[in-house]
Amino acid sequence: MKLNKSSRSWCKPHNPLIKISTCRLPNFPIQILLLGLCHLLVPASCSRKPPPLPILPLPTALQLQWQLRDMSLFFHFGPNTFTDSEWGSGHAHPSVFNPTKLNPSQWIRVAKNCGFSTVILTVKHHDGFCLWPSDYTDYSLRSSNWKNGSGDVVAELSSAAKDAGVGFGIYLSPWDRHETSFGDTLRYNEFYLAQMTELLTRYGEITDVFLDGAKGEGEKDMNYLYTSWNSLIHQLQPGVSIFSDLGPETRWVGNEYGIAGFTCWSLFNKTGFEIGQIDLQYNSEGDPLGPDWIPATCDVSIRPGWFWHASESPMSARSLLEIYYKSVGRNCKLLLNVPPNSSGLISDEDIQVLQEFAELRRSIFSHNLAINAVINASSIRGGIQDTHFSPYNILKEGIYTYWAPEENQTKWILYINLEELVSFNVLQLQEPIHMGQRVIEFHLETLSQDGVWMRVVNGTTIGYQRLLLFPKLKSQYLKLVVDKSRADPLISYLGIYMDSVTVLRDTPDKKSGASFNGSQVLQTTTHNSSLSAAM
């Protein structure tokens, strides 16, 4: 009998029908060795079993496209860059804006070379100054001395992004401290939509619109007509993803540290909330019972401020890597602000950090240590002959192929034989989110040298991507167990990696209120000598 790869046993020879007794693994569970036999007893079917029913809610095509671009750069740039401010008053003279070496193509090269697939520019911040020649205000580049009033930063950046194949998005602040109509609901909403129309019709394809709900205390009350805004934005740019506290495409994670909750659902219930008035913890964690699909964006600045200040320095690449684990590694998108300086360039020290960050990610995640593993499963949808849902799908990159268990099972387990002792400390998992977000709880186990399964780490949600870091261990045999799921769990990717640079913490993270993995690191077969505090 000739068996395909998915029927290989955990020991040589690979045919489970031949000399099973020759397997020499002391105390190794015999049921694993018999998995292939059990599946072979299932009669072949003349037709393929269809995929399981998706579980609602589901992401839209726009949201799927947005999720696949897992990191973006944010560019805060404007008069504040030159006045050493964060929130401008709206009264700085337009002549203060004078970037003598402006080069948006450099910004885009930095983004692309460091692994960021989209960029977002603050085309107008709270001060109301517009980085394009708007027809609806006297407070724009048209009134500045830069390029004799003929400059257009939006045009230069959008063109550079298009040429490089990088997505381009805009941040148009609803709060405007310069515009006199602010506070008059009808007049200001007309003004805002007029400017939004300029931006969405003059500069080609826009991938993202970022709607900030910020407004200072004591400022005029203002009723933003978000429903009208969203409708017009989607009409003018059908492929755009809109960010706000509550979506519609993507929500704010609830802090500006770039950190999502240890449990983070893309599912959400926006009923009862308003932009600017949200539950921060709810935004951070989402809702397993939520009827809406609104994944989270984690925004953070590489520097202490959002705009460039000569007195400030960027954080380290290792700090960015920790943020990566807590954002991209928790089913979110990372939006990293890297503010151009007063010359109009990304500063050399920021570029160095971004390059080091990219190299750290490459050194850890470029090779899946499980890529040549032997994989078995507690069950396979359609039986072992149907490779459409084979457990080997978890070694294929992408979310559209996946392992699916048989229906009505009481256990969901993937057995991984790395075929040699391997040192590792990172687990990566992905779900096929186009089928809905399913997994509620899971854990990873390893087989110790004395034949005892030991739990390494607990996890909760997976979603598009989950990364869990734990103390370094060495093992050959692993077991991924899904403990609880909204429906039959589906796993599209599993990766095992070694991170030799990130320092685990066993004390609460001051920003997130949780330890590195939410106090989920458990006993392992081998331990690091200690877990130190944060970097």
Side-chain angles (χ1 to χ4, degrees):
M1 177 179 291
K2 185 177 180 180
L3 301 179
N4 60 29
K5 187 177 181 182
S6 62
S7 64
R8 290 161 60 187
S9 72
W10 282 59
C11 52
K12 304 288 196 296
H14 290 307
N15 191 328
L17 297 180
I18 301 175
K19 296 182 181 179
I20 291 178
S21 61
T22 63
C23 181
R24 300 184 181 277
L25 290 176
N27 301 320
F28 197 73
I30 191 65
Q31 63 266 31
I32 297 175
L33 302 176
L34 296 177
L35 280 171
L37 276 173
C38 295
H39 293 306
L40 288 173
L41 298 177
V42 179
S45 174
C46 61
S47 61
R48 171 177 289 173
K49 192 163 186 176
L53 191 70
I55 181 170
L56 299 176
L58 298 177
T60 65
L62 277 179
Q63 290 170 321
L64 277 174
Q65 194 174 44
W66 172 89
Q67 191 84 66
L68 294 173
R69 304 187 296 257
D70 58 7
M71 294 195 304
S72 297
L73 279 192
F74 215 171
F75 298 134
H76 275 64
F77 189 57
N80 294 348
T81 307
F82 304 88
T83 60
D84 202 28
S85 304
E86 281 292 302
W87 280 9
S89 65
H91 301 297
H93 195 276
S95 63
V96 303
F97 184 85
N98 187 32
T100 56
K101 300 178 181 179
L102 182 82
N103 186 359
S105 293
Q106 183 233 20
W107 308 2
I108 296 298
R109 283 197 303 272
V110 170
K112 188 170 185 177
N113 292 342
C114 295
F116 294 82
S117 57
T118 56
V119 300
I120 297 177
L121 173 67
T122 56
V123 297
K124 183 187 79 170
H125 203 251
H126 308 326
D127 60 356
F129 186 83
C130 300
L131 296 185
W132 80 100
S134 175
D135 294 334
Y136 298 97
T137 181
D138 60 357
Y139 203 49
S140 76
L141 291 179
R142 185 176 283 140
S143 302
S144 72
N145 297 327
W146 181 66
K147 293 192 173 183
N148 297 317
S150 62
D152 190 334
V153 176
V154 179
E156 291 191 38
L157 185 59
S158 62
S159 177
K162 180 180 179 181
D163 290 344
V166 172
F168 173 66
I170 61 171
Y171 168 119
L172 184 67
S173 173
W175 182 28
D176 190 322
R177 305 185 77 178
H178 179 84
E179 172 57 34
T180 57
S181 67
F182 186 84
D184 183 318
T185 295
L186 177 60
R187 289 178 58 216
Y188 184 75
N189 277 276
E190 289 176 342
F191 166 80
Y192 186 87
L193 285 183
Q195 290 198 322
M196 181 67 78
T197 300
E198 287 182 321
L199 292 163
L200 299 184
T201 57
R202 292 182 181 178
Y203 300 104
E205 181 181 1
I206 305 294
T207 59
D208 296 84
V209 169
F210 189 105
L211 299 178
D212 189 344
K215 183 171 74 72
E217 293 185 10
E219 295 291 327
K220 300 174 183 176
D221 289 333
M222 185 69 226
N223 182 21
Y224 303 132
L225 303 181
Y226 286 111
T227 301
S228 296
W229 295 7
N230 293 341
S231 296
L232 182 66
I233 291 168
H234 280 144
Q235 179 191 96
L236 297 176
Q237 291 277 346
V240 77
S241 293
I242 302 174
F243 164 96
S244 76
D245 289 352
L246 302 173
E249 271 72 51
T250 173
R251 72 181 192 266
W252 184 41
V253 77
N255 64 70
E256 293 183 341
Y257 305 125
I259 298 174
F262 180 76
T263 295
C264 188
W265 291 95
S266 295
L267 282 59
F268 198 77
N269 188 347
K270 60 185 178 181
T271 303
F273 294 111
E274 295 181 7
I275 296 176
Q277 298 178 348
I278 59 171
D279 183 319
L280 298 181
Q281 182 175 349
Y282 186 75
N283 265 52
S284 178
E285 297 179 356
D287 186 346
L289 302 178
D292 308 305
W293 184 281
I294 311 178
T297 290
C298 294
D299 57 329
V300 63
S301 183
I302 198 172
R303 290 167 173 257
W306 289 90
F307 286 87
W308 178 84
H309 306 286
S311 61
E312 295 180 350
S313 300
M315 68 174 73
S316 69
R318 291 189 179 191
S319 295
L320 283 181
L321 181 59
E322 182 176 345
I323 289 172
Y324 182 82
Y325 278 110
K326 296 178 179 181
S327 55
V328 175
R330 293 182 179 177
N331 187 38
C332 298
K333 185 169 184 173
L334 174 59
L335 178 59
L336 177 63
N337 180 63
V338 181
N341 60 32
S342 56
S343 295
L345 299 171
I346 305 298
S347 299
D348 289 342
E349 58 266 35
D350 293 18
I351 294 175
Q352 181 177 346
V353 169
L354 290 172
Q355 290 174 339
E356 292 173 358
F357 176 42
E359 176 57 26
L360 285 175
R361 300 194 318 274
R362 187 207 62 78
S363 67
I364 296 167
F365 299 108
S366 62
H367 177 60
N368 182 359
L369 298 174
I371 193 64
N372 295 315
V374 178
I375 310 293
N376 272 300
S378 53
S379 67
I380 301 173
R381 185 176 178 87
I384 197 168
Q385 289 88 356
D386 191 343
T387 59
H388 192 59
F389 304 110
S390 165
Y392 278 92
N393 285 336
I394 68 172
L395 301 180
K396 300 176 183 177
E397 293 188 1
I399 65 171
Y400 294 105
T401 56
Y402 50 88
W403 164 69
E406 196 57 272
E407 298 167 290
N408 303 317
Q409 300 298 301
T410 58
K411 62 179 180 180
W412 304 302
I413 304 174
L414 286 167
Y415 301 93
I416 302 103
N417 175 5
L418 300 174
E419 299 205 291
E420 62 180 348
L421 284 173
V422 174
S423 296
F424 59 94
N425 61 356
V426 178
L427 170 68
Q428 177 190 17
L429 294 172
Q430 290 185 278
E431 288 184 275
I433 56 172
H434 61 289
M435 303 292 287
Q437 190 175 356
R438 297 165 175 252
V439 175
I440 299 173
E441 295 176 6
F442 65 92
H443 70 269
L444 181 70
E445 299 181 25
T446 66
L447 191 70
S448 66
Q449 293 181 353
D450 58 2
V452 177
W453 284 109
M454 305 185 71
R455 193 176 290 216
V456 177
V457 66
N458 282 340
T460 52
T461 44
I462 297 176
Y464 174 65
Q465 182 167 221
R466 190 61 192 258
L467 296 172
L468 289 177
L469 181 69
F470 40 83
K472 176 183 173 182
L473 60 91
K474 181 179 287 188
S475 183
Q476 178 176 343
Y477 302 101
L478 309 177
K479 186 164 63 172
L480 177 71
V481 181
V482 177
D483 301 293
K484 191 175 181 181
S485 187
R486 297 174 63 234
D488 288 341
L490 309 175
I491 304 297
S492 57
Y493 193 72
L494 180 146
I496 298 293
Y497 308 95
M498 182 66 217
D499 178 347
S500 59
V501 298
T502 303
V503 180
L504 279 168
R505 66 174 86 235
D506 59 358
T507 54
D509 185 293
K510 293 179 181 179
K511 294 178 179 178
S512 67
S515 63
F516 198 97
N517 277 337
S519 300
Q520 300 299 305
V521 175
L522 306 176
Q523 184 181 16
T524 60
T525 53
T526 59
H527 294 271
N528 287 340
S529 57
S530 64
L531 299 179
S532 66
M535 296 169 281

